């Protein structure tokens, strides 16, 4: 039975889908005015792991992810510059050129990280009419009102506002920036449509004149269009809880009077050197940069898989080095299993599978599942172990079917036979068979290598 942590209830809940066997899921996508950094990508690794667990459990997925190719503003409030507009003006390119360029790179990054694409990818610019209609319905129902610079959602009409973030209105007002917009009825009212001044590049005709949609309306309009008024799961990063998702809920539920999403799931942040990751601090990295430094995308994915999605993950190069060694070793030992002739009985393998399934179904506990896989690799070298590992990899997405290729391409240039002996020696050591371990060390030496014990297992050096 799958259990997931629901931000709405702050509890792990038994998962029950709305329509038997099919899951409707919306994931907040990127704003494509710049490269996605590794923090952003951690959130999509989480989305992918969740999708893979659901698929592994036999569900059919109907997933939607948006691409925000209209600028939302530099602050979560309704002030500041439009990010897309700013970038376009800085570079002399059109917003579409900027958006297409970064969308392509984002898609390539997802592919490199084995992140499966949701079934529908929805670009904001292709759904402006849906958003305008949504705003119109809000205005007609009395939930939104026009001012001289836009259309705002009146949160006093939605008493449940704040339920997701568990902040009451006073707390939210206390945290709000100094108001410059005196036409708003309540300080926390947010823009669903902004009127554009003439030099704003992206603008569309609307019943309120030329303008552009608010960021939150984008996700409400597109999720409801593709998934209906009520759907199963909504994902995003934890930073979306207090404003973006709170506003989505207000927009959705004001109109329908229904609870729009059953399970809100949020991925925790990635930090760098225990602090915030930000472009201005110069501590963000892209997948391409990591590749240039010699870390393959799979090493980054492995690094992410070592932390539960609800835990902060601190990015360090020491951590990446350790992930690299571990990933390489995992590939190495699985390759040895793929050639292994030992017999492992089916009951033992079933127990490992059961343990693995329990871990992934316990709120997507991937670190624990990875632990089960590692434990399984300690079995005598057997091709059935490799086969089961490949089944597990349907969830992990670590390209373990390409273990051999990875080792050939990225591994040390130590011959396969020597690595196999070193793996066997490690196993012997773990089983406290010191005589065998020494024997194997001798054999490795005869082949011209020394084996040193290390934190990650062993290191092989040419003599
Ligand atoms: P954005 O393009 O800014 O809308 O962000 C795309 C996604 O990345 C959103 O789901 C954010 O919640 C998420 N995100 C932003 N920064 C980080 C971070 N440091 N760690 C994890 N996720 C993040
Ligand atoms: Zn969103």
């Amino acid at each position: 039975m799958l259990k997931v942590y629901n931000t709405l209830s702050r509890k792990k809940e038994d998962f029950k889908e709305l329509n038997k066997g099919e899951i409707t899921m919306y994931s907040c996508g990127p704003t494509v005015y710049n490269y996605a950094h590794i923090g952003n990508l951690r959130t999509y690794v989480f989305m992918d792991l969740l999708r893979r667990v659901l698929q592994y459990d036999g569900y059919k997925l109907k997933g939607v992810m948006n691409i925000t190719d209209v600028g939302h503003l530099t602050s979560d409030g309704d002030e500041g510059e439009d990010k897309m507009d700013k970038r376009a003006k800085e570079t002399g390119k059109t917003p579409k050129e900027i958006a297409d360029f970064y969308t392509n790179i984002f898609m390539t990054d997802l592919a490199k990280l084995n992140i499966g694409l949701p079934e529908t990818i929805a670009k904001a610019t292709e759904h402006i009419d849906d958003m305008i209609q949504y705003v119109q319905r809000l205005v007609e129902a009395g939930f939104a009102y026009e001012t001289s610079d836009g259309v705002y959602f009146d949160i006093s009409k939605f008493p449940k506002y704040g339920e997701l973030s568990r902040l009451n209105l006073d707390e939210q007002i206390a945290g709000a920036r100094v108001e410059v917009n005196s036409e708003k009825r309540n300080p926390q009212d947010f823009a669903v449509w902004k009127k554009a001044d003439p030099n704003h590049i992206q603008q569309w005709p609307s019943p309120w004149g030329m303008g552009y949609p608010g960021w939150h309306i984008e996700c409400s309009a597109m999720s409801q269009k593709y998934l209906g008024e009520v759907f199963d799961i909504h994902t995003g990063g934890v930073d979306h809880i207090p404003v973006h998702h709170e506003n989505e809920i207000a927009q959705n539920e004001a109109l329908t009077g229904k609870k729009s999403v059953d399970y809100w799931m949020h991925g925790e942040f990635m930090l760098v050197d225990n602090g915030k990751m930000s472009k201005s601090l110069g501590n963000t990295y892209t997948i391409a940069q990591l590749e240039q430094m010699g870390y393959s995308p799979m090493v980054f994915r492995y690094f992410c898989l070592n932390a539960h999605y609800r835990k902060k993950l601190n990015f360090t190069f020491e951590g990446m080095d350790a992930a690299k060694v571990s990933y390489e070793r995992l590939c190495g030992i699985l390759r040895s299993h793929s050639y292994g002739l030992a017999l492992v009985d089916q009951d033992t393998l079933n127990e490992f599978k059961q343990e693995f399934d329990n871990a992934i179904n316990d709120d997507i506990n991937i670190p624990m599942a990875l632990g089960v896989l590692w434990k399984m690799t300690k079995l005598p070298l057997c091709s059935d172990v490799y086969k089961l590992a490949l089944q597990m990899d349907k969830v992990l997405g670590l390209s373990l079917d390409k273990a051999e290729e990875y080792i050939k391409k990225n591994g040390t240039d130590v011959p396969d036979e020597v690595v196999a002996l070193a793996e066997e020696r490690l196993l012997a050591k773990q089983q406290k068979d010191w005589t065998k371990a020494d024997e194997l060390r001798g054999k490795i030496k005869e082949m011209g290598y020394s084996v040193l014990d290390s934190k990650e297992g062993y290191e092989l050096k040419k003599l």
Side-chain angles (χ1 to χ4, degrees), residues 120-157:
T120 303
I121 302 292
K123 290 187 180 178
T125 48
E126 291 168 8
H127 295 79
I128 301 292
D129 285 348
D130 298 299
M131 296 179 214
I132 291 175
Q133 278 167 30
Y134 205 104
V135 175
Q136 262 177 318
R137 286 170 62 206
L138 285 173
V139 173
E140 278 159 21
F143 287 104
Y145 59 92
E146 188 177 355
T147 71
S148 58
D149 77 343
V151 180
Y152 287 83
F153 186 94
D154 182 347
I155 62 159
S156 67
K157 300 274 168 63

Side-chain angles (χ1 to χ4, degrees), residues 26 28 66 215 219 234 240 244-245 248:
Y26 187 88
C28 284
N66 62 300
W215 171 36
C219 290
H234 196 312
H240 286 168
H244 184 47
H245 289 167
E248 264 187 71

Side-chain angles (χ1 to χ4, degrees), residues 8 10 29 80 84 87 132 172 176 190 192 194 217 245 248 254 306 331 377 390 392 446 451:
L8 205 54
R10 303 288 196 275
M84 193 70 76
R87 190 84 181 154
I132 291 175
Q172 297 201 4
F190 56 89
V192 285
K194 289 284 273 187
I217 207 73
H245 289 167
E248 264 187 71
N306 268 303
C331 288
T377 65
L390 292 191
M392 294 174 175
E446 276 166 33
V451 56

Side-chain angles (χ1 to χ4, degrees), residues 27-44 66 68 72 83 106 215 235-241 244-245 266-272 275-279 284 313:
S27 302
C28 284
T31 313
V32 283
Y33 69 102
N34 209 332
Y35 297 102
H37 60 58
I38 51 176
N40 302 135
L41 290 165
R42 182 192 185 198
T43 291
Y44 300 108
N66 62 300
T68 301
H72 61 79
K83 292 176 186 170
F106 177 70
W215 171 36
T235 69
V238 285
D239 57 325
H240 286 168
I241 300 171
H244 184 47
H245 289 167
H266 293 98
E268 248 301 349
F269 258 36
M270 176 171 271
L271 308 175
V272 171
K276 195 173 153 41
M277 186 183 295
S278 91
K279 302 226 165 65
T284 62
L313 172 57

Side-chain angles (χ1 to χ4, degrees), residues 56 334 337 340 342-358 372-373 375-392:
Y56 182 92
L334 287 175
H337 274 290
L343 288 178
V344 174
D345 66 275
Q346 199 54 46
D347 286 351
T348 307
L349 292 173
N350 286 345
E351 275 168 33
F352 278 106
K353 181 170 181 324
Q354 193 55 54
E355 216 186 316
F356 179 88
D357 291 1
N358 291 345
V372 177
L373 172 60
K375 203 162 66 172
M376 186 173 79
T377 65
K378 312 286 187 282
L379 289 169
L381 296 178
C382 163
S383 59
D384 287 342
V385 166
Y386 178 64
K387 282 184 201 142
L388 183 51
L390 292 191
Q391 236 174 299
M392 294 174 175

